[in-house]
Amino acid sequence: MVGFSQTGAESSWRVAHSKSIQEEADKRRLQLLFADGQNVHNNQVNAVNGFITKGVDIIVIAPQESLGWKPTLKEAKRAGIPVVLTSRGVDADEDLYETVLVADFVWEGRQAGDWLAKQTNGSARIIELVGTPAADVATMRKAGFAEAIAKHPDMKIIASQSGDFTRTKGKAVMETLLSAHKGEINAVYAHNDDMALGAIQAIEAAGLKPGKDILVVSIDAVKPAFEAMIEGKLNATVECNPMHGPLLFDTIEKIARGEKVPKRTIVPGKVLESDQAAALIGSRPY
Ligand code: GYE
């Protein structure tokens, strides 16, 4: 029996991630206890404590936040229940979990920064839409982008604010920043596609052309982002593959057989630009 504590359903990426894991469990006829954390850290901690009490065989956590996991992970260790992390990491000693399945989030941020530097010849006035601040993925995507644009003195982040990885908050934050920085903005860097799609709505509502008046670059490469790229409203996205199901259960089976697994497993990605979208959209699994 596998106990899986999911962040919630904050983005298209997250929905695809849940589906991939649930489908793979079904395919392998494994019992999966799925707990939706509703994007609240304490809900996840309570769910994991419930899994420990229930005596599940293994615990899988996609953490909403990276802090505040040590006591619960120590409890799981005391109970002899291995823990696997997916999609984000936690701020705890590595010996408190078996492995973490993630993308290289710093690399993703760097790719977005390098792409924007090339498109703007190193001159841009940027709005950064940050993910959930307490999540390690947001900290690392922010650091990678900052590192890339630091090489270009005329690339400036004029405002950086969290949209919590959601389309709704991405739109609301962009509306506020468009009116606060009228006529100054020529680029948006969003930590995920859902916030970028919200920002695109706000840019259009302000009478501007997303993808032209204001360049938009983001991360995830979900299908709605391809649709926006085909419309020329999103310029590029860095792929972050959510289909963790097969890799996760291969890893779980190795752990169950007592085999050693690496502490960190990086899921690769690539930069995808709008002129590639029409040809690729049909073959996208998420
Ligand atoms: O980019 C975003 C989701 O942890 C990699 O979480 C994941 C991120 C993903 O909300 O869409």
Side-chain angles (χ1 to χ4, degrees), residues 10-11 13-14 87-88 105 137 141 165 191-192 220 240:
E10 70 276 1
S11 65
W13 190 97
R14 187 61 59 186
S87 84
R88 295 175 187 176
F105 303 130
V137 52
R141 285 177 179 170
F165 285 126
H191 288 195
N192 80 338
D220 278 352
C240 179

Side-chain angles (χ1 to χ4, degrees), residues 17-50:
H17 181 249
S18 294
K19 191 161 168 279
S20 169
I21 291 171
Q22 287 165 316
E23 283 178 356
E24 196 64 25
D26 289 351
K27 212 166 105 193
R28 298 186 191 209
R29 302 185 190 294
L30 291 169
Q31 190 184 1
L32 183 76
L33 302 180
F34 182 92
D36 177 345
Q38 309 279 329
N39 301 105
V40 175
H41 173 72
N42 286 342
N43 290 351
Q44 291 201 277
V45 168
N46 295 340
V48 172
N49 287 330

Side-chain angles (χ1 to χ4, degrees), residues 105-117:
F105 303 130
V106 176
W107 176 87
E108 292 171 342
R110 246 189 249 123
Q111 298 309 305
D114 289 345
W115 181 88
L116 191 59

Side-chain angles (χ1 to χ4, degrees):
M1 192 192 305
V2 178
F4 174 33
S5 170
Q6 178 60 291
T7 57
E10 70 276 1
S11 65
S12 312
W13 190 97
R14 187 61 59 186
V15 172
H17 181 249
S18 294
K19 191 161 168 279
S20 169
I21 291 171
Q22 287 165 316
E23 283 178 356
E24 196 64 25
D26 289 351
K27 212 166 105 193
R28 298 186 191 209
R29 302 185 190 294
L30 291 169
Q31 190 184 1
L32 183 76
L33 302 180
F34 182 92
D36 177 345
Q38 309 279 329
N39 301 105
V40 175
H41 173 72
N42 286 342
N43 290 351
Q44 291 201 277
V45 168
N46 295 340
V48 172
N49 287 330
F51 294 150
I52 296 169
T53 310
K54 216 186 203 68
V56 300
D57 302 301
I58 193 157
I59 292 170
V60 177
I61 307 172
Q64 171 75 10
E65 301 186 5
S66 55
L67 294 174
W69 281 104
K70 287 183 188 148
T72 307
L73 294 178
K74 283 186 179 148
E75 263 320 296
K77 194 166 183 83
R78 238 193 307 279
I81 303 174
V83 172
V84 172
L85 305 172
T86 166
S87 84
R88 295 175 187 176
V90 295
D91 180 5
D93 300 340
E94 284 192 344
D95 65 357
L96 290 176
Y97 55 87
E98 302 301 314
T99 186
V100 55
L101 314 179
V102 281
D104 182 341
F105 303 130
V106 176
W107 176 87
E108 292 171 342
R110 246 189 249 123
Q111 298 309 305
D114 289 345
W115 181 88
L116 191 59
K118 202 156 141 254
Q119 292 302 314
T120 62
N121 299 318
S123 170
R125 297 289 169 275
I126 307 158
I127 294 293
E128 178 182 26
L129 295 177
V130 177
T132 303
D136 67 346
V137 52
T139 312
M140 290 190 257
R141 285 177 179 170
K142 188 175 185 52
F145 185 81
E147 187 196 307
I149 67 166
K151 295 176 269 180
H152 308 275
D154 199 28
M155 291 187 79
K156 300 258 183 286
I157 295 178
I158 54 178
S160 177
Q161 209 171 317
S162 177
D164 233 354
F165 285 126
T166 70
R167 190 184 288 217
T168 313
K169 286 193 190 158
K171 181 170 181 274
V173 169
M174 193 65 201
E175 278 164 358
T176 310
L177 295 174
L178 277 167
S179 50
H181 299 279
K182 237 184 191 53
E184 289 175 53
I185 304 165
N186 66 0
V188 171
Y189 164 51
H191 288 195
N192 80 338
D193 291 339
D194 285 62
M195 292 190 292
L197 295 168
I200 285 168
Q201 290 172 295
I203 293 167
E204 288 182 315
L208 297 165
K209 289 198 180 61
K212 294 180 184 52
D213 301 330
I214 298 181
L215 295 180
V216 185
V217 58
S218 59
I219 301 175
D220 278 352
V222 293
K223 200 159 260 178
F226 276 76
E227 285 148 9
M229 287 200 285
I230 290 168
E231 292 165 354
K233 297 176 180 176
L234 178 66
N235 302 91
T237 182
V238 183
E239 179 186 62
C240 179
N241 188 335
M243 313 299 272
H244 288 195
L247 176 62
L248 175 66
F249 285 99
D250 285 351
T251 305
I252 286 174
E253 285 169 4
K254 280 191 185 140
I255 293 167
R257 289 195 298 268
E259 286 174 30
K260 248 191 128 4
V261 294
K263 266 298 166 195
R264 203 171 183 80
T265 305
I266 300 292
V267 180
K270 57 184 176 288
V271 176
L272 296 160
E273 298 184 281
S274 52
D275 57 5
Q276 301 168 274
L280 291 176
I281 193 166
S283 60
R284 301 295 297 176
Y286 59 91

